[in-house]
Amino acid sequence: MYTKRIFPIAGVLKWTRRHILLFIVLAFIPVFLFDVLGLKWLHVPWLPLGVLGTAVAFIVSFKNNASYDRLWEARKIWGGIVNASRSWTIMVKDFINNDHTDKDRTEEEIQAIKRELVHRHVAWLTALRYQMREERPWEMHLKSKRSNIEFRASKYRVCEDVEDLEGAIKSYISEAEYKEVLAKGNQASQLLGIQSRRLKELMNLGLIEDFRHMEMTNMLVEFYTLQGKSERIKNFPYPRQFATLNYLFVWIFILLIPYGIMEEFESFGEKILGLLSKHEERSSLMHVTQEAIAKHFVWFSVPFSALITWVFYTMEAIGE
Amino acid sequence: MYTKRIFPIAGVLKWTRRHILLFIVLAFIPVFLFDVLGLKWLHVPWLPLGVLGTAVAFIVSFKNNASYDRLWEARKIWGGIVNASRSWTIMVKDFINNDHTDKDRTEEEIQAIKRELVHRHVAWLTALRYQMREERPWEMHLKSKRSNIEFRASKYRVCEDVEDLEGAIKSYISEAEYKEVLAKGNQASQLLGIQSRRLKELMNLGLIEDFRHMEMTNMLVEFYTLQGKSERIKNFPYPRQFATLNYLFVWIFILLIPYGIMEEFESFGEKILGLLSKHEERSSLMHVTQEAIAKHFVWFSVPFSALITWVFYTMEAIGE
Amino acid sequence: MYTKRIFPIAGVLKWTRRHILLFIVLAFIPVFLFDVLGLKWLHVPWLPLGVLGTAVAFIVSFKNNASYDRLWEARKIWGGIVNASRSWTIMVKDFINNDHTDKDRTEEEIQAIKRELVHRHVAWLTALRYQMREERPWEMHLKSKRSNIEFRASKYRVCEDVEDLEGAIKSYISEAEYKEVLAKGNQASQLLGIQSRRLKELMNLGLIEDFRHMEMTNMLVEFYTLQGKSERIKNFPYPRQFATLNYLFVWIFILLIPYGIMEEFESFGEKILGLLSKHEERSSLMHVTQEAIAKHFVWFSVPFSALITWVFYTMEAIGE
Amino acid sequence: MYTKRIFPIAGVLKWTRRHILLFIVLAFIPVFLFDVLGLKWLHVPWLPLGVLGTAVAFIVSFKNNASYDRLWEARKIWGGIVNASRSWTIMVKDFINNDHTDKDRTEEEIQAIKRELVHRHVAWLTALRYQMREERPWEMHLKSKRSNIEFRASKYRVCEDVEDLEGAIKSYISEAEYKEVLAKGNQASQLLGIQSRRLKELMNLGLIEDFRHMEMTNMLVEFYTLQGKSERIKNFPYPRQFATLNYLFVWIFILLIPYGIMEEFESFGEKILGLLSKHEERSSLMHVTQEAIAKHFVWFSVPFSALITWVFYTMEAIGE
Amino acid sequence: MYTKRIFPIAGVLKWTRRHILLFIVLAFIPVFLFDVLGLKWLHVPWLPLGVLGTAVAFIVSFKNNASYDRLWEARKIWGGIVNASRSWTIMVKDFINNDHTDKDRTEEEIQAIKRELVHRHVAWLTALRYQMREERPWEMHLKSKRSNIEFRASKYRVCEDVEDLEGAIKSYISEAEYKEVLAKGNQASQLLGIQSRRLKELMNLGLIEDFRHMEMTNMLVEFYTLQGKSERIKNFPYPRQFATLNYLFVWIFILLIPYGIMEEFESFGEKILGLLSKHEERSSLMHVTQEAIAKHFVWFSVPFSALITWVFYTMEAIGE
């Protein structure tokens, strides 16, 4: 998580520099055709474009809303995992003891059991973390797009890219368990299954009292629920049909904008020319310069169009 | 679930090609009447149309919101079923044993009981899955519309269309249960009822401890709840009065758009003609061409109208 | 619940035909005053009206949102009642037995007790259903408005209008209970109270085990909660101050629209006249016709205004 | 709660009559300066005002949304109190008995204990009700504003204004408890504390079974939660910084509206004058009248501005 | 929490006075360049700016929505802490006694234990409070910005700035616990850990009954959850990429507004000049003054632009 108040603006510009260039080119095309090649009929009326713009703003804002909600829900789930892990630690510490055993264990044995349960929980956390870092088809673009690769390279070091899951969890569980866990599909689920089996054994040995065993099993059910929720967020992206159409609508709007904006600037150029012809008491040089500007006023639409298209594009892109 | 980042645009165009054609025809009509038949009075003012467009954007975005929420809730319920099924498996594995029996069962017998409970659970999942695939009157259009049939045929193979429920669950439950389940209405409910009865028997035999029996019954209550929620999502579509009126409003807007947009292009044509008459220093051929374009500039409204109407139509259609 | 994909459009038109007529009359008035009586100053500028329209679209969409949420919540509650009822049935079936009785009951006696508990539950469902059908002052318009009466008469047969509560629940409970229930205010609450008392007796007789009695009491608490939620939805309409002002705002907008739209059409008429005077090479008859249309072009605002006002009115009305 | 379908419109007008007057005056000022004193330069362009209007509509609708959510949540909490109270009554009725006592109490003694617990609960409800009626600084305006005082005086009789808390709860609790409760700060909390102490005593006497005591304590925890939620809604108004700025923004918009709208009407006046000069075949009197109207057409902006400002003001005010 | 109905407007103006000045300067620049230096071509068309404004209004309102939801959730969590603390107090008061002890404690000893548990809870509340007051990088601006420092200095006295955590909790816990708690990272978690250990001891001594011990442990789990939720809200700000882009978009809009608005006023100036030239029957002085105003009418755009930019800036700023 980036933690400054806002990203430095230079960074944002650098990150989107390829698109900025593209938008300048897109804005340049109609002006070139109009003013240099003389295609005076090249116009799109602004008003219907405005309604389209409002509709696009609606759906983009709706998408950003949905994507913020997903982010917030993901954060809640992770917070829930933190809370449940703390509670698990308390339970392990206070519920395992010699109170109901036939044959008392030494303090060291008890400590070893507690350590084992906590370590296996860390292994579960690790497995879940790796699972969340796996790539999905709809995330491809996040990694493969050049701008992102550069950005990540310069800023982050994702530890999941450096060490693999096998190495990361090996130290937390026994050799036998390690083999059992890696043999089948979902490692995190396997680990919770082992925890459950182990709790059962401990209860049979009298190290956990009957009701407290049920409490701890309930905590495992809670872990399953949290894991399932994480997987749901991970595996169910913003519905693709919505995403595709949003993407199309924004690009349709972006492609039309320069033509609509050029028209507005062109009318302005006309008006300024009219103004200038009336106020002829101005100094000659000034007047000539201004007239030249007015005649080619339409060129000012290039940066303006690029700015507007950039805003709409970026608005759509952050929600992804 | 489609899993690429976005659908290929060609696919989207192909999927909506019938409507694209329709919108081109709709946009063609007023232009033909105006420019060919000379009905110069054929206009609709854009401004009130713009307000109508904003209102339509509101209600469509509201509907899409609701339909996204339904999708998300459905995904949550299915995620809940996955989580609860995992927990059920743990419970079956760890709660059924000889600890409280009068007469111990062999390991094989215990395994058989566990397998039976898990298999019956799979049968429930299957029955629920089939129930979710049944057709409802308001979904008819999804299957019967030609564009969808083609699209599905080329992309998916829905296993529920190939094998029927009877075959699918037969292997998971005994012959007697199979008859009992198919005799009455809601198969999934029947299966949970049998699970509950069986748990009762197992407790009486001492194979499940008293409190753990209550925990497992609570899990069955949870399954009922999840099934009920699935049925609710399935059987309660977006309220039909909202859907009907949205549909009407969007079509009213779509039918009026070409007339409004034509008017904007017509004004433009006038203006360009004016411009051209002033800048007469242009090459003759160029000038004549441009004048011809300006006179029939209104024809450019056809693709533009078709585009806008397509955007609004598609926006409405994806939320269905 | 209506179950086709969309209502037939003819039905919608028939249902709103009185209002359509009203809107045509409202749209006719300004045009008549302007074009026949010659009150040429009769105009309202469109732009401020447009902002008003956006604001109205906001609040109407906000209200529809709220009313959809209420509908959805109501559906959830009813789904909850279904789920809880199924769970109740399981519990009755599996929790009542001779396991802890001093003196065993025959199978018939057990069955009779089970039937009694389920029947009383059906009586509760019935009482709740009738309670939900009672009329509230803010719903009056739903029944008394002529268009609704007709619509309902031709489509639905509401069984609560045909048989009264007394007859409907009599067959499910004993004579004594029937008197007790009808003696006091809230019948549904009375019935749950009797269920609770009966469960207590059954536990004292040993027919329900101690903890399972608590589970079943919890289910009764759940029924109270669901009943309370139903009553809340029923008795707490969309706040009347919001509803009143929405209603006022929409009508203010509706009354102003024809004047604003007429103005737009009037400008158009002017413009067309201008166009016609230039292109005089047209055939004489065509020209004369078009000139006549252009002069009275303002009449075209009548259907257009009626359409727009109908859309805004209906948008407001469906959320009620 | 007001229960008719909509408030009578006359009542709404009466309730806001002071503001209607104010808005007419505000709309009158620019017209007077413009048309009587001849300050022809007094204009504000409408288009930027329109964007401001959209932004204002956004934030007002956002605030109304939040305030509706608060209202709905408050209603849910109160519904929760009703449900919990009903459940409390059942528990008191069925959980208190001689089943586990060493020495049986008479039926009268048991009834007295039940009555005492229910009466103390009513005292808690009463204390909570009074607490909710206390005034907060940000509610001052509700009572002190003249229009509200009159409105309330004519319509409601708030019983909390008539009798004080002391009198209202005295009859429900014993003299000793009455003193204890009033000695310290939060009366409602005190009462729940006494309930808890009393349940403890009853369990020690064997009048409540061990587990059912825990269930009843859980219900007290539920009451604490519901009380805490009520206090939260009561004590945490819509954040004051939002409220202040909304208020400012709406008033800025309201103050600018008449200048913007006057401009639109002024252009219209011009246009009508132009029209009239062309169509001179009209009857003389009619023509003269219309010309006079057209010249002072700007005066029509007064009612129109007042209407629009009233709509925006009222929209902001109802959410408070 | 500020508790008047609205902040005094003077205070709001004072608080934002630096920005008001900045916006006046920003609005002054284009007018100066246009009217004094004669750069007549300096314009930005309003219509595309309007669409940008709508989009900005969307995202700002979306952000404010999210930030209000965070505030409300924070308030709910704090309310939950209050409720849970009250319930904790009841439990401590009623669950700790001599009922199951081998050797009875004196009333003073019991009271000491109760006081200890409540004091340690107060220490936890204190530690959590201090934790919430720590600074985060994205909050820096709240404290370091001069306008805020002044504002806070004159209004509030934050007790966490005056006394440090060590002093604040020392009096509530024993010397040994004090050292243990400060030795490791998260003080609040440490304190809950000690509570759990202590409850365990008290149960072993028989001072808390077995099931009531589990209830109290559940309450500690609840405290962990509430603490975790507080930390989540604290440590997870509104996503920085959204915040950065909102900030950029609003500033882009703010920088463009004066140019767009100047254009609108400039057209007005033209129009008024036209009007004045027609109505020449006016008194000479009046006429000359008005003509001078009309020529430099563009200057009126300075306060108007400043006002609009201030509204949009403030709207964005309050959501932070």
Side-chain angles (χ1 to χ4, degrees), chain B residues 34-49 51-52 54-56 58-59 62 66 70 73 136-139 141 145 186 189 192-193 196-197 200 203-204 210-211 213-214 217-218 220-221 224-229 231-233 235-245 247-249 252 256 263 266-267 270 316 320, chain C residues 1-9 12-13 15 46-47 49-51 53-54 57-58 61 64-68 71-72 75-76 79-80 82-83 86-87 90-91 93-97 99-100 209 211-212 215 219 253 260-261 264-265 268 271-272 275-276 278-279 282 286 289-290 293-294 297 300 304 307-308 310-312 314-315 318-319:
Chain B
F34 177 91
D35 199 46
V36 177
L37 299 190
L39 304 179
K40 294 301 183 199
W41 52 268
L42 203 75
H43 285 108
V44 165
W46 178 260
L47 284 179
L49 221 54
V51 170
L52 186 61
T54 305
V56 164
F58 260 109
I59 58 172
F62 159 54
R70 285 166 61 86
E73 194 181 343
R136 289 283 174 278
W138 55 87
E139 292 166 349
H141 69 111
K145 271 219 300 225
N186 190 319
S189 285
L192 289 182
S196 167
R197 196 176 60 201
K200 184 77 208 305
M203 187 186 65
N204 285 348
D210 200 13
F211 280 100
H213 171 251
M214 255 161 70
T217 306
N218 283 342
L220 290 184
V221 170
Y224 266 124
T225 306
L226 288 164
Q227 177 187 336
K229 281 178 174 173
E231 291 170 7
R232 166 165 58 79
I233 293 269
N235 291 328
F236 192 66
Y238 186 73
R240 290 300 92 191
Q241 71 270 41
F242 283 105
T244 305
L245 289 167
Y247 188 81
L248 262 180
F249 295 166
I252 286 172
L256 289 174
E263 196 275 318
E266 211 262 329
S267 318
E270 297 279 311
E316 205 268 344
E320 191 57 38
Chain C
M1 197 174 53
Y2 197 80
T3 55
K4 287 280 173 53
R5 198 192 151 220
I6 58 167
F7 290 117
I9 286 162
V12 173
L13 292 180
W15 182 55
W46 179 259
L47 284 179
L49 220 54
V51 170
T54 306
F58 260 109
S61 120
N64 284 352
N65 213 332
S67 104
Y68 173 72
L71 191 62
W72 191 237
R75 187 60 187 77
K76 271 189 180 167
V82 171
N83 294 343
R86 284 179 181 168
S87 303
I90 289 195
M91 286 183 172
K93 237 158 70 182
D94 290 342
F95 286 179
I96 297 179
N97 49 49
D99 291 2
H100 303 78
E209 184 261 348
F211 281 99
R212 277 156 187 83
E215 288 279 303
M219 200 51 93
F253 185 57
I261 284 178
E264 297 282 322
F265 275 86
F268 265 53
K271 218 171 99 188
I272 300 167
L275 276 174
L276 287 173
K278 276 194 279 179
H279 304 250
R282 298 271 165 193
M286 182 85 177
T289 319
Q290 295 220 3
I293 290 174
F297 191 68
F300 283 100
F304 192 70
L307 198 66
I308 304 272
W310 178 78
V311 167
F312 272 89
T314 318
M315 223 185 264
I318 46 166

Side-chain angles (χ1 to χ4, degrees), chain B residues 9-121:
Chain B
I9 286 161
V12 173
L13 292 179
K14 206 178 146 199
W15 182 56
T16 57
R17 69 175 186 278
R18 278 187 188 77
H19 276 96
I20 292 175
L21 204 71
L22 173 64
F23 296 140
I24 289 173
V25 169
L26 286 179
F28 176 82
I29 292 169
V31 175
F32 182 81
L33 293 173
F34 177 91
D35 199 46
V36 177
L37 299 190
L39 304 179
K40 294 301 183 199
W41 52 268
L42 203 75
H43 285 108
V44 165
W46 178 260
L47 284 179
L49 221 54
V51 170
L52 186 61
T54 305
V56 164
F58 260 109
I59 58 172
V60 165
S61 120
F62 159 54
K63 179 187 163 189
N64 284 352
N65 213 333
S67 104
Y68 172 72
D69 283 353
R70 285 166 61 86
L71 191 62
W72 190 236
E73 194 181 343
R75 188 59 188 79
K76 270 189 180 165
I77 293 167
W78 197 252
I81 291 178
V82 171
N83 294 342
S85 299
R86 284 178 179 168
S87 302
W88 176 254
T89 316
I90 289 195
M91 285 182 173
V92 167
K93 238 161 65 185
D94 289 342
F95 287 179
I96 298 179
N97 49 49
N98 282 318
D99 291 2
H100 303 79
T101 43
D102 300 327
K103 140 172 114 63
D104 277 14
R105 309 284 161 133
T106 65
E107 188 57 28
E108 284 75 42
E109 284 174 319
I110 299 270
Q111 282 306 326
I113 290 166
K114 288 180 180 177
R115 194 174 322 109
E116 179 206 325
L117 287 172
V118 170
H119 275 191
R120 203 180 285 116
H121 185 69

Side-chain angles (χ1 to χ4, degrees), chain D residues 37-38 40-41 43 48 137-138 141 196 200 210 213 218 224 228 231 236 239-240 244-245 263 270, chain E residues 1 3-5 7 46 68 71-72 83 86 90 94 97 212 215 268 271 275 286 290 293 297 318:
Chain D
L37 299 191
K40 293 300 184 199
W41 51 267
H43 286 106
W138 55 87
H141 68 109
S196 166
K200 184 77 207 308
D210 201 12
H213 171 250
N218 284 343
Y224 265 125
E231 291 170 6
F236 191 67
R240 290 301 94 190
T244 306
L245 289 167
E263 196 276 319
E270 298 279 310
Chain E
M1 198 173 55
T3 53
K4 287 280 173 52
R5 198 194 150 219
F7 290 117
W46 178 260
Y68 173 72
L71 190 63
W72 190 237
N83 294 344
R86 283 179 181 166
I90 289 196
D94 289 342
N97 50 48
R212 277 156 186 83
E215 288 279 304
F268 265 55
K271 217 171 102 189
L275 276 176
M286 183 82 178
Q290 295 220 6
I293 290 174
F297 190 67
I318 45 166

